[in-house]
mmCIF file with all atom_site columns, all heavy atoms in Angstrom:
data_model
loop_
_atom_site.group_PDB
_atom_site.id
_atom_site.type_symbol
_atom_site.label_atom_id
_atom_site.label_alt_id
_atom_site.label_comp_id
_atom_site.label_asym_id
_atom_site.label_entity_id
_atom_site.label_seq_id
_atom_site.pdbx_PDB_ins_code
_atom_site.Cartn_x
_atom_site.Cartn_y
_atom_site.Cartn_z
_atom_site.occupancy
_atom_site.B_iso_or_equiv
_atom_site.pdbx_formal_charge
_atom_site.auth_seq_id
_atom_site.auth_comp_id
_atom_site.auth_asym_id
_atom_site.auth_atom_id
_atom_site.pdbx_PDB_model_num
ATOM 1   N N   . GLU A 1 1  ? 39.388 179.155 68.163 1.00 97.00 ? 867 GLU A N   1
ATOM 2   C CA  . GLU A 1 1  ? 37.940 179.061 68.279 1.00 97.00 ? 867 GLU A CA  1
ATOM 3   C C   . GLU A 1 1  ? 37.297 179.011 66.899 1.00 97.00 ? 867 GLU A C   1
ATOM 4   O O   . GLU A 1 1  ? 37.837 179.539 65.927 1.00 97.00 ? 867 GLU A O   1
ATOM 5   C CB  . GLU A 1 1  ? 37.361 180.260 69.047 1.00 97.00 ? 867 GLU A CB  1
ATOM 6   C CG  . GLU A 1 1  ? 37.898 180.432 70.454 1.00 97.00 ? 867 GLU A CG  1
ATOM 7   C CD  . GLU A 1 1  ? 38.963 181.493 70.540 1.00 97.00 ? 867 GLU A CD  1
ATOM 8   O OE1 . GLU A 1 1  ? 39.677 181.712 69.529 1.00 97.00 ? 867 GLU A OE1 1
ATOM 9   O OE2 . GLU A 1 1  ? 39.094 182.118 71.607 1.00 97.00 ? 867 GLU A OE2 1
ATOM 10  N N   . SER A 1 2  ? 36.121 178.416 66.844 1.00 97.00 ? 868 SER A N   1
ATOM 11  C CA  . SER A 1 2  ? 35.342 178.383 65.624 1.00 97.00 ? 868 SER A CA  1
ATOM 12  C C   . SER A 1 2  ? 33.872 178.219 65.980 1.00 97.00 ? 868 SER A C   1
ATOM 13  O O   . SER A 1 2  ? 33.537 177.855 67.105 1.00 97.00 ? 868 SER A O   1
ATOM 14  C CB  . SER A 1 2  ? 35.794 177.247 64.704 1.00 97.00 ? 868 SER A CB  1
ATOM 15  O OG  . SER A 1 2  ? 35.608 175.985 65.325 1.00 97.00 ? 868 SER A OG  1
ATOM 16  N N   . GLY A 1 3  ? 33.009 178.490 65.029 1.00 97.00 ? 869 GLY A N   1
ATOM 17  C CA  . GLY A 1 3  ? 31.588 178.287 65.222 1.00 97.00 ? 869 GLY A CA  1
ATOM 18  C C   . GLY A 1 3  ? 30.774 179.539 65.436 1.00 97.00 ? 869 GLY A C   1
ATOM 19  O O   . GLY A 1 3  ? 29.542 179.472 65.517 1.00 97.00 ? 869 GLY A O   1
ATOM 20  N N   . GLY A 1 4  ? 31.427 180.678 65.541 1.00 97.00 ? 870 GLY A N   1
ATOM 21  C CA  . GLY A 1 4  ? 30.692 181.915 65.721 1.00 97.00 ? 870 GLY A CA  1
ATOM 22  C C   . GLY A 1 4  ? 29.975 182.322 64.450 1.00 97.00 ? 870 GLY A C   1
ATOM 23  O O   . GLY A 1 4  ? 30.234 181.792 63.370 1.00 97.00 ? 870 GLY A O   1
ATOM 24  N N   . GLY A 1 5  ? 29.066 183.267 64.590 1.00 98.00 ? 871 GLY A N   1
ATOM 25  C CA  . GLY A 1 5  ? 28.319 183.732 63.435 1.00 98.00 ? 871 GLY A CA  1
ATOM 26  C C   . GLY A 1 5  ? 27.133 184.569 63.829 1.00 98.00 ? 871 GLY A C   1
ATOM 27  O O   . GLY A 1 5  ? 27.007 185.008 64.970 1.00 98.00 ? 871 GLY A O   1
ATOM 28  N N   . LEU A 1 6  ? 26.263 184.784 62.865 1.00 98.00 ? 872 LEU A N   1
ATOM 29  C CA  . LEU A 1 6  ? 25.051 185.575 63.057 1.00 98.00 ? 872 LEU A CA  1
ATOM 30  C C   . LEU A 1 6  ? 23.848 184.651 63.162 1.00 98.00 ? 872 LEU A C   1
ATOM 31  O O   . LEU A 1 6  ? 23.629 183.814 62.280 1.00 98.00 ? 872 LEU A O   1
ATOM 32  C CB  . LEU A 1 6  ? 24.863 186.542 61.889 1.00 98.00 ? 872 LEU A CB  1
ATOM 33  C CG  . LEU A 1 6  ? 23.582 187.369 61.865 1.00 98.00 ? 872 LEU A CG  1
ATOM 34  C CD1 . LEU A 1 6  ? 23.537 188.304 63.063 1.00 98.00 ? 872 LEU A CD1 1
ATOM 35  C CD2 . LEU A 1 6  ? 23.491 188.149 60.566 1.00 98.00 ? 872 LEU A CD2 1
ATOM 36  N N   . VAL A 1 7  ? 23.093 184.794 64.237 1.00 98.00 ? 873 VAL A N   1
ATOM 37  C CA  . VAL A 1 7  ? 21.903 183.977 64.446 1.00 98.00 ? 873 VAL A CA  1
ATOM 38  C C   . VAL A 1 7  ? 20.752 184.847 64.920 1.00 98.00 ? 873 VAL A C   1
ATOM 39  O O   . VAL A 1 7  ? 20.960 185.935 65.453 1.00 98.00 ? 873 VAL A O   1
ATOM 40  C CB  . VAL A 1 7  ? 22.150 182.847 65.465 1.00 98.00 ? 873 VAL A CB  1
ATOM 41  C CG1 . VAL A 1 7  ? 23.222 181.890 64.962 1.00 98.00 ? 873 VAL A CG1 1
ATOM 42  C CG2 . VAL A 1 7  ? 22.543 183.421 66.815 1.00 98.00 ? 873 VAL A CG2 1
ATOM 43  N N   . GLN A 1 8  ? 19.547 184.346 64.726 1.00 98.00 ? 874 GLN A N   1
ATOM 44  C CA  . GLN A 1 8  ? 18.364 185.040 65.208 1.00 98.00 ? 874 GLN A CA  1
ATOM 45  C C   . GLN A 1 8  ? 18.118 184.725 66.673 1.00 98.00 ? 874 GLN A C   1
ATOM 46  O O   . GLN A 1 8  ? 18.527 183.674 67.176 1.00 98.00 ? 874 GLN A O   1
ATOM 47  C CB  . GLN A 1 8  ? 17.138 184.641 64.394 1.00 98.00 ? 874 GLN A CB  1
ATOM 48  C CG  . GLN A 1 8  ? 17.178 185.074 62.941 1.00 98.00 ? 874 GLN A CG  1
ATOM 49  C CD  . GLN A 1 8  ? 15.919 184.691 62.195 1.00 98.00 ? 874 GLN A CD  1
ATOM 50  O OE1 . GLN A 1 8  ? 15.141 183.853 62.652 1.00 98.00 ? 874 GLN A OE1 1
ATOM 51  N NE2 . GLN A 1 8  ? 15.714 185.302 61.047 1.00 98.00 ? 874 GLN A NE2 1
ATOM 52  N N   . ALA A 1 9  ? 17.469 185.637 67.359 1.00 98.00 ? 875 ALA A N   1
ATOM 53  C CA  . ALA A 1 9  ? 17.103 185.398 68.750 1.00 98.00 ? 875 ALA A CA  1
ATOM 54  C C   . ALA A 1 9  ? 16.294 184.116 68.854 1.00 98.00 ? 875 ALA A C   1
ATOM 55  O O   . ALA A 1 9  ? 15.401 183.863 68.046 1.00 98.00 ? 875 ALA A O   1
ATOM 56  C CB  . ALA A 1 9  ? 16.309 186.573 69.300 1.00 98.00 ? 875 ALA A CB  1
ATOM 57  N N   . GLY A 1 10 ? 16.620 183.318 69.850 1.00 98.00 ? 876 GLY A N   1
ATOM 58  C CA  . GLY A 1 10 ? 15.968 182.037 70.029 1.00 98.00 ? 876 GLY A CA  1
ATOM 59  C C   . GLY A 1 10 ? 16.678 180.898 69.335 1.00 98.00 ? 876 GLY A C   1
ATOM 60  O O   . GLY A 1 10 ? 16.340 179.728 69.563 1.00 98.00 ? 876 GLY A O   1
ATOM 61  N N   . GLY A 1 11 ? 17.657 181.219 68.518 1.00 98.00 ? 877 GLY A N   1
ATOM 62  C CA  . GLY A 1 11 ? 18.395 180.215 67.793 1.00 98.00 ? 877 GLY A CA  1
ATOM 63  C C   . GLY A 1 11 ? 19.509 179.598 68.614 1.00 98.00 ? 877 GLY A C   1
ATOM 64  O O   . GLY A 1 11 ? 19.692 179.923 69.787 1.00 98.00 ? 877 GLY A O   1
ATOM 65  N N   . SER A 1 12 ? 20.261 178.716 67.966 1.00 98.00 ? 878 SER A N   1
ATOM 66  C CA  . SER A 1 12 ? 21.336 177.996 68.637 1.00 98.00 ? 878 SER A CA  1
ATOM 67  C C   . SER A 1 12 ? 22.636 178.104 67.865 1.00 98.00 ? 878 SER A C   1
ATOM 68  O O   . SER A 1 12 ? 22.652 178.326 66.654 1.00 98.00 ? 878 SER A O   1
ATOM 69  C CB  . SER A 1 12 ? 20.970 176.513 68.795 1.00 98.00 ? 878 SER A CB  1
ATOM 70  O OG  . SER A 1 12 ? 19.825 176.340 69.604 1.00 98.00 ? 878 SER A OG  1
ATOM 71  N N   . LEU A 1 13 ? 23.726 177.925 68.589 1.00 98.00 ? 879 LEU A N   1
ATOM 72  C CA  . LEU A 1 13 ? 25.047 177.980 67.997 1.00 98.00 ? 879 LEU A CA  1
ATOM 73  C C   . LEU A 1 13 ? 25.971 177.119 68.840 1.00 98.00 ? 879 LEU A C   1
ATOM 74  O O   . LEU A 1 13 ? 25.807 177.055 70.063 1.00 98.00 ? 879 LEU A O   1
ATOM 75  C CB  . LEU A 1 13 ? 25.546 179.417 67.966 1.00 98.00 ? 879 LEU A CB  1
ATOM 76  C CG  . LEU A 1 13 ? 26.547 179.842 66.888 1.00 98.00 ? 879 LEU A CG  1
ATOM 77  C CD1 . LEU A 1 13 ? 25.961 179.626 65.499 1.00 98.00 ? 879 LEU A CD1 1
ATOM 78  C CD2 . LEU A 1 13 ? 26.917 181.305 67.077 1.00 98.00 ? 879 LEU A CD2 1
ATOM 79  N N   . ARG A 1 14 ? 26.916 176.469 68.193 1.00 98.00 ? 880 ARG A N   1
ATOM 80  C CA  . ARG A 1 14 ? 27.878 175.645 68.914 1.00 98.00 ? 880 ARG A CA  1
ATOM 81  C C   . ARG A 1 14 ? 29.290 176.124 68.622 1.00 98.00 ? 880 ARG A C   1
ATOM 82  O O   . ARG A 1 14 ? 29.736 176.105 67.480 1.00 98.00 ? 880 ARG A O   1
ATOM 83  C CB  . ARG A 1 14 ? 27.750 174.177 68.524 1.00 98.00 ? 880 ARG A CB  1
ATOM 84  C CG  . ARG A 1 14 ? 28.523 173.231 69.452 1.00 98.00 ? 880 ARG A CG  1
ATOM 85  C CD  . ARG A 1 14 ? 28.554 171.822 68.913 1.00 98.00 ? 880 ARG A CD  1
ATOM 86  N NE  . ARG A 1 14 ? 28.988 170.856 69.910 1.00 98.00 ? 880 ARG A NE  1
ATOM 87  C CZ  . ARG A 1 14 ? 29.670 169.740 69.638 1.00 98.00 ? 880 ARG A CZ  1
ATOM 88  N NH1 . ARG A 1 14 ? 29.987 169.445 68.383 1.00 98.00 ? 880 ARG A NH1 1
ATOM 89  N NH2 . ARG A 1 14 ? 30.008 168.912 70.618 1.00 98.00 ? 880 ARG A NH2 1
ATOM 90  N N   . LEU A 1 15 ? 29.989 176.524 69.662 1.00 98.00 ? 881 LEU A N   1
ATOM 91  C CA  . LEU A 1 15 ? 31.359 176.979 69.538 1.00 98.00 ? 881 LEU A CA  1
ATOM 92  C C   . LEU A 1 15 ? 32.323 175.851 69.867 1.00 98.00 ? 881 LEU A C   1
ATOM 93  O O   . LEU A 1 15 ? 32.047 175.007 70.716 1.00 98.00 ? 881 LEU A O   1
ATOM 94  C CB  . LEU A 1 15 ? 31.633 178.152 70.475 1.00 98.00 ? 881 LEU A CB  1
ATOM 95  C CG  . LEU A 1 15 ? 30.714 179.368 70.370 1.00 98.00 ? 881 LEU A CG  1
ATOM 96  C CD1 . LEU A 1 15 ? 31.183 180.458 71.335 1.00 98.00 ? 881 LEU A CD1 1
ATOM 97  C CD2 . LEU A 1 15 ? 30.665 179.894 68.946 1.00 98.00 ? 881 LEU A CD2 1
ATOM 98  N N   . SER A 1 16 ? 33.456 175.856 69.194 1.00 98.00 ? 882 SER A N   1
ATOM 99  C CA  . SER A 1 16 ? 34.503 174.885 69.450 1.00 98.00 ? 882 SER A CA  1
ATOM 100 C C   . SER A 1 16 ? 35.820 175.607 69.666 1.00 98.00 ? 882 SER A C   1
ATOM 101 O O   . SER A 1 16 ? 36.061 176.665 69.096 1.00 98.00 ? 882 SER A O   1
ATOM 102 C CB  . SER A 1 16 ? 34.649 173.911 68.277 1.00 98.00 ? 882 SER A CB  1
ATOM 103 O OG  . SER A 1 16 ? 33.470 173.174 68.063 1.00 98.00 ? 882 SER A OG  1
ATOM 104 N N   . CYS A 1 17 ? 36.664 175.023 70.485 1.00 98.00 ? 883 CYS A N   1
ATOM 105 C CA  . CYS A 1 17 ? 37.997 175.557 70.715 1.00 98.00 ? 883 CYS A CA  1
ATOM 106 C C   . CYS A 1 17 ? 38.966 174.394 70.811 1.00 98.00 ? 883 CYS A C   1
ATOM 107 O O   . CYS A 1 17 ? 38.851 173.565 71.719 1.00 98.00 ? 883 CYS A O   1
ATOM 108 C CB  . CYS A 1 17 ? 38.037 176.392 71.995 1.00 98.00 ? 883 CYS A CB  1
ATOM 109 S SG  . CYS A 1 17 ? 39.705 176.905 72.490 1.00 98.00 ? 883 CYS A SG  1
ATOM 110 N N   . ALA A 1 18 ? 39.903 174.347 69.899 1.00 97.00 ? 884 ALA A N   1
ATOM 111 C CA  . ALA A 1 18 ? 40.888 173.280 69.859 1.00 97.00 ? 884 ALA A CA  1
ATOM 112 C C   . ALA A 1 18 ? 42.257 173.793 70.291 1.00 97.00 ? 884 ALA A C   1
ATOM 113 O O   . ALA A 1 18 ? 42.726 174.813 69.791 1.00 97.00 ? 884 ALA A O   1
ATOM 114 C CB  . ALA A 1 18 ? 40.968 172.688 68.460 1.00 97.00 ? 884 ALA A CB  1
ATOM 115 N N   . ALA A 1 19 ? 42.867 173.075 71.205 1.00 96.00 ? 885 ALA A N   1
ATOM 116 C CA  . ALA A 1 19 ? 44.210 173.413 71.662 1.00 96.00 ? 885 ALA A CA  1
ATOM 117 C C   . ALA A 1 19 ? 45.231 172.596 70.889 1.00 96.00 ? 885 ALA A C   1
ATOM 118 O O   . ALA A 1 19 ? 45.043 171.400 70.663 1.00 96.00 ? 885 ALA A O   1
ATOM 119 C CB  . ALA A 1 19 ? 44.350 173.147 73.152 1.00 96.00 ? 885 ALA A CB  1
ATOM 120 N N   . SER A 1 20 ? 46.302 173.237 70.492 1.00 95.00 ? 886 SER A N   1
ATOM 121 C CA  . SER A 1 20 ? 47.350 172.542 69.761 1.00 95.00 ? 886 SER A CA  1
ATOM 122 C C   . SER A 1 20 ? 48.714 172.989 70.260 1.00 95.00 ? 886 SER A C   1
ATOM 123 O O   . SER A 1 20 ? 48.840 173.986 70.959 1.00 95.00 ? 886 SER A O   1
ATOM 124 C CB  . SER A 1 20 ? 47.228 172.793 68.254 1.00 95.00 ? 886 SER A CB  1
ATOM 125 O OG  . SER A 1 20 ? 47.399 174.169 67.953 1.00 95.00 ? 886 SER A OG  1
ATOM 126 N N   . GLY A 1 21 ? 49.733 172.248 69.870 1.00 94.00 ? 887 GLY A N   1
ATOM 127 C CA  . GLY A 1 21 ? 51.083 172.550 70.295 1.00 94.00 ? 887 GLY A CA  1
ATOM 128 C C   . GLY A 1 21 ? 51.561 171.593 71.362 1.00 94.00 ? 887 GLY A C   1
ATOM 129 O O   . GLY A 1 21 ? 50.903 170.597 71.666 1.00 94.00 ? 887 GLY A O   1
ATOM 130 N N   . SER A 1 22 ? 52.704 171.909 71.920 1.00 91.00 ? 888 SER A N   1
ATOM 131 C CA  . SER A 1 22 ? 53.292 171.067 72.954 1.00 91.00 ? 888 SER A CA  1
ATOM 132 C C   . SER A 1 22 ? 52.604 171.331 74.287 1.00 91.00 ? 888 SER A C   1
ATOM 133 O O   . SER A 1 22 ? 52.780 172.382 74.891 1.00 91.00 ? 888 SER A O   1
ATOM 134 C CB  . SER A 1 22 ? 54.795 171.341 73.066 1.00 91.00 ? 888 SER A CB  1
ATOM 135 O OG  . SER A 1 22 ? 55.389 170.520 74.049 1.00 91.00 ? 888 SER A OG  1
ATOM 136 N N   . ILE A 1 23 ? 51.812 170.380 74.723 1.00 93.00 ? 889 ILE A N   1
ATOM 137 C CA  . ILE A 1 23 ? 51.059 170.499 75.971 1.00 93.00 ? 889 ILE A CA  1
ATOM 138 C C   . ILE A 1 23 ? 51.270 169.247 76.793 1.00 93.00 ? 889 ILE A C   1
ATOM 139 O O   . ILE A 1 23 ? 50.969 168.141 76.337 1.00 93.00 ? 889 ILE A O   1
ATOM 140 C CB  . ILE A 1 23 ? 49.560 170.705 75.700 1.00 93.00 ? 889 ILE A CB  1
ATOM 141 C CG1 . ILE A 1 23 ? 49.322 171.974 74.891 1.00 93.00 ? 889 ILE A CG1 1
ATOM 142 C CG2 . ILE A 1 23 ? 48.794 170.755 77.021 1.00 93.00 ? 889 ILE A CG2 1
ATOM 143 C CD1 . ILE A 1 23 ? 47.895 172.152 74.434 1.00 93.00 ? 889 ILE A CD1 1
ATOM 144 N N   . TYR A 1 24 ? 51.764 169.426 77.998 1.00 91.00 ? 890 TYR A N   1
ATOM 145 C CA  . TYR A 1 24 ? 51.953 168.296 78.884 1.00 91.00 ? 890 TYR A CA  1
ATOM 146 C C   . TYR A 1 24 ? 50.645 167.906 79.564 1.00 91.00 ? 890 TYR A C   1
ATOM 147 O O   . TYR A 1 24 ? 50.313 166.720 79.637 1.00 91.00 ? 890 TYR A O   1
ATOM 148 C CB  . TYR A 1 24 ? 53.025 168.593 79.931 1.00 91.00 ? 890 TYR A CB  1
ATOM 149 C CG  . TYR A 1 24 ? 53.173 167.488 80.946 1.00 91.00 ? 890 TYR A CG  1
ATOM 150 C CD1 . TYR A 1 24 ? 53.811 166.306 80.614 1.00 91.00 ? 890 TYR A CD1 1
ATOM 151 C CD2 . TYR A 1 24 ? 52.658 167.623 82.232 1.00 91.00 ? 890 TYR A CD2 1
ATOM 152 C CE1 . TYR A 1 24 ? 53.939 165.280 81.531 1.00 91.00 ? 890 TYR A CE1 1
ATOM 153 C CE2 . TYR A 1 24 ? 52.788 166.599 83.157 1.00 91.00 ? 890 TYR A CE2 1
ATOM 154 C CZ  . TYR A 1 24 ? 53.429 165.429 82.806 1.00 91.00 ? 890 TYR A CZ  1
ATOM 155 O OH  . TYR A 1 24 ? 53.556 164.407 83.724 1.00 91.00 ? 890 TYR A OH  1
ATOM 156 N N   . MET A 1 25 ? 49.940 168.891 80.074 1.00 92.00 ? 891 MET A N   1
ATOM 157 C CA  . MET A 1 25 ? 48.690 168.629 80.767 1.00 92.00 ? 891 MET A CA  1
ATOM 158 C C   . MET A 1 25 ? 47.713 169.770 80.547 1.00 92.00 ? 891 MET A C   1
ATOM 159 O O   . MET A 1 25 ? 48.023 170.930 80.789 1.00 92.00 ? 891 MET A O   1
ATOM 160 C CB  . MET A 1 25 ? 48.937 168.432 82.260 1.00 92.00 ? 891 MET A CB  1
ATOM 161 C CG  . MET A 1 25 ? 47.687 168.091 83.063 1.00 92.00 ? 891 MET A CG  1
ATOM 162 S SD  . MET A 1 25 ? 48.066 167.760 84.798 1.00 92.00 ? 891 MET A SD  1
ATOM 163 C CE  . MET A 1 25 ? 48.981 166.215 84.628 1.00 92.00 ? 891 MET A CE  1
ATOM 164 N N   . LEU A 1 26 ? 46.528 169.420 80.094 1.00 92.00 ? 892 LEU A N   1
ATOM 165 C CA  . LEU A 1 26 ? 45.468 170.384 79.867 1.00 92.00 ? 892 LEU A CA  1
ATOM 166 C C   . LEU A 1 26 ? 44.508 170.333 81.040 1.00 92.00 ? 892 LEU A C   1
ATOM 167 O O   . LEU A 1 26 ? 43.866 169.307 81.273 1.00 92.00 ? 892 LEU A O   1
ATOM 168 C CB  . LEU A 1 26 ? 44.753 170.068 78.559 1.00 92.00 ? 892 LEU A CB  1
ATOM 169 C CG  . LEU A 1 26 ? 43.716 171.048 78.035 1.00 92.00 ? 892 LEU A CG  1
ATOM 170 C CD1 . LEU A 1 26 ? 44.346 172.404 77.776 1.00 92.00 ? 892 LEU A CD1 1
ATOM 171 C CD2 . LEU A 1 26 ? 43.087 170.495 76.763 1.00 92.00 ? 892 LEU A CD2 1
ATOM 172 N N   . ASN A 1 27 ? 44.425 171.422 81.769 1.00 94.00 ? 893 ASN A N   1
ATOM 173 C CA  . ASN A 1 27 ? 43.606 171.450 82.973 1.00 94.00 ? 893 ASN A CA  1
ATOM 174 C C   . ASN A 1 27 ? 42.229 172.042 82.668 1.00 94.00 ? 893 ASN A C   1
ATOM 175 O O   . ASN A 1 27 ? 41.582 171.639 81.714 1.00 94.00 ? 893 ASN A O   1
ATOM 176 C CB  . ASN A 1 27 ? 44.329 172.220 84.075 1.00 94.00 ? 893 ASN A CB  1
ATOM 177 C CG  . ASN A 1 27 ? 45.669 171.588 84.425 1.00 94.00 ? 893 ASN A CG  1
ATOM 178 O OD1 . ASN A 1 27 ? 45.767 170.369 84.595 1.00 94.00 ? 893 ASN A OD1 1
ATOM 179 N ND2 . ASN A 1 27 ? 46.704 172.406 84.552 1.00 94.00 ? 893 ASN A ND2 1
ATOM 180 N N   . ALA A 1 28 ? 41.797 172.983 83.481 1.00 96.00 ? 894 ALA A N   1
ATOM 181 C CA  . ALA A 1 28 ? 40.485 173.569 83.275 1.00 96.00 ? 894 ALA A CA  1
ATOM 182 C C   . ALA A 1 28 ? 40.433 174.383 81.989 1.00 96.00 ? 894 ALA A C   1
ATOM 183 O O   . ALA A 1 28 ? 41.425 174.994 81.581 1.00 96.00 ? 894 ALA A O   1
ATOM 184 C CB  . ALA A 1 28 ? 40.105 174.449 84.462 1.00 96.00 ? 894 ALA A CB  1
ATOM 185 N N   . MET A 1 29 ? 39.277 174.393 81.354 1.00 96.00 ? 895 MET A N   1
ATOM 186 C CA  . MET A 1 29 ? 39.053 175.191 80.162 1.00 96.00 ? 895 MET A CA  1
ATOM 187 C C   . MET A 1 29 ? 37.763 175.973 80.351 1.00 96.00 ? 895 MET A C   1
ATOM 188 O O   . MET A 1 29 ? 36.926 175.614 81.179 1.00 96.00 ? 895 MET A O   1
ATOM 189 C CB  . MET A 1 29 ? 38.964 174.314 78.916 1.00 96.00 ? 895 MET A CB  1
ATOM 190 C CG  . MET A 1 29 ? 40.191 173.444 78.693 1.00 96.00 ? 895 MET A CG  1
ATOM 191 S SD  . MET A 1 29 ? 40.124 172.490 77.150 1.00 96.00 ? 895 MET A SD  1
ATOM 192 C CE  . MET A 1 29 ? 40.487 173.791 75.949 1.00 96.00 ? 895 MET A CE  1
ATOM 193 N N   . GLY A 1 30 ? 37.613 177.024 79.587 1.00 97.00 ? 896 GLY A N   1
ATOM 194 C CA  . GLY A 1 30 ? 36.419 177.825 79.751 1.00 97.00 ? 896 GLY A CA  1
ATOM 195 C C   . GLY A 1 30 ? 36.166 178.761 78.598 1.00 97.00 ? 896 GLY A C   1
ATOM 196 O O   . GLY A 1 30 ? 36.972 178.878 77.668 1.00 97.00 ? 896 GLY A O   1
ATOM 197 N N   . TRP A 1 31 ? 35.026 179.397 78.677 1.00 98.00 ? 897 TRP A N   1
ATOM 198 C CA  . TRP A 1 31 ? 34.618 180.389 77.695 1.00 98.00 ? 897 TRP A CA  1
ATOM 199 C C   . TRP A 1 31 ? 34.313 181.708 78.384 1.00 98.00 ? 897 TRP A C   1
ATOM 200 O O   . TRP A 1 31 ? 33.654 181.736 79.434 1.00 98.00 ? 897 TRP A O   1
ATOM 201 C CB  . TRP A 1 31 ? 33.377 179.935 76.923 1.00 98.00 ? 897 TRP A CB  1
ATOM 202 C CG  . TRP A 1 31 ? 33.633 178.808 75.985 1.00 98.00 ? 897 TRP A CG  1
ATOM 203 C CD1 . TRP A 1 31 ? 33.480 177.477 76.224 1.00 98.00 ? 897 TRP A CD1 1
ATOM 204 C CD2 . TRP A 1 31 ? 34.092 178.922 74.632 1.00 98.00 ? 897 TRP A CD2 1
ATOM 205 N NE1 . TRP A 1 31 ? 33.810 176.740 75.118 1.00 98.00 ? 897 TRP A NE1 1
ATOM 206 C CE2 . TRP A 1 31 ? 34.190 177.605 74.125 1.00 98.00 ? 897 TRP A CE2 1
ATOM 207 C CE3 . TRP A 1 31 ? 34.427 179.989 73.810 1.00 98.00 ? 897 TRP A CE3 1
ATOM 208 C CZ2 . TRP A 1 31 ? 34.613 177.339 72.820 1.00 98.00 ? 897 TRP A CZ2 1
ATOM 209 C CZ3 . TRP A 1 31 ? 34.853 179.735 72.519 1.00 98.00 ? 897 TRP A CZ3 1
ATOM 210 C CH2 . TRP A 1 31 ? 34.936 178.428 72.033 1.00 98.00 ? 897 TRP A CH2 1
ATOM 211 N N   . TYR A 1 32 ? 34.794 182.775 77.796 1.00 98.00 ? 898 TYR A N   1
ATOM 212 C CA  . TYR A 1 32 ? 34.520 184.129 78.248 1.00 98.00 ? 898 TYR A CA  1
ATOM 213 C C   . TYR A 1 32 ? 33.981 184.921 77.070 1.00 98.00 ? 898 TYR A C   1
ATOM 214 O O   . TYR A 1 32 ? 34.176 184.540 75.918 1.00 98.00 ? 898 TYR A O   1
ATOM 215 C CB  . TYR A 1 32 ? 35.788 184.799 78.783 1.00 98.00 ? 898 TYR A CB  1
ATOM 216 C CG  . TYR A 1 32 ? 36.334 184.175 80.049 1.00 98.00 ? 898 TYR A CG  1
ATOM 217 C CD1 . TYR A 1 32 ? 36.950 182.926 80.030 1.00 98.00 ? 898 TYR A CD1 1
ATOM 218 C CD2 . TYR A 1 32 ? 36.246 184.842 81.273 1.00 98.00 ? 898 TYR A CD2 1
ATOM 219 C CE1 . TYR A 1 32 ? 37.443 182.348 81.184 1.00 98.00 ? 898 TYR A CE1 1
ATOM 220 C CE2 . TYR A 1 32 ? 36.745 184.282 82.434 1.00 98.00 ? 898 TYR A CE2 1
ATOM 221 C CZ  . TYR A 1 32 ? 37.348 183.035 82.385 1.00 98.00 ? 898 TYR A CZ  1
ATOM 222 O OH  . TYR A 1 32 ? 37.845 182.472 83.538 1.00 98.00 ? 898 TYR A OH  1
#
């Protein structure tokens, strides 16, 4: 994951998550 940080209320932020390695099929993804 990347993109986290400190922001003010009302602001915006964009998180990214990149999968790497040997993957045959990437199904559902999500954020918790």
Side-chain angles (χ1 to χ4, degrees):
E867 301 100 331
S868 62
L872 175 64
V873 298
Q874 294 182 344
S878 298
L879 207 60
R880 192 189 194 212
L881 305 183
S882 299
C883 172
S886 63
S888 181
I889 300 173
Y890 175 75
M891 182 176 292
L892 187 61
N893 300 314
M895 303 184 76
W897 290 94
Y898 294 72

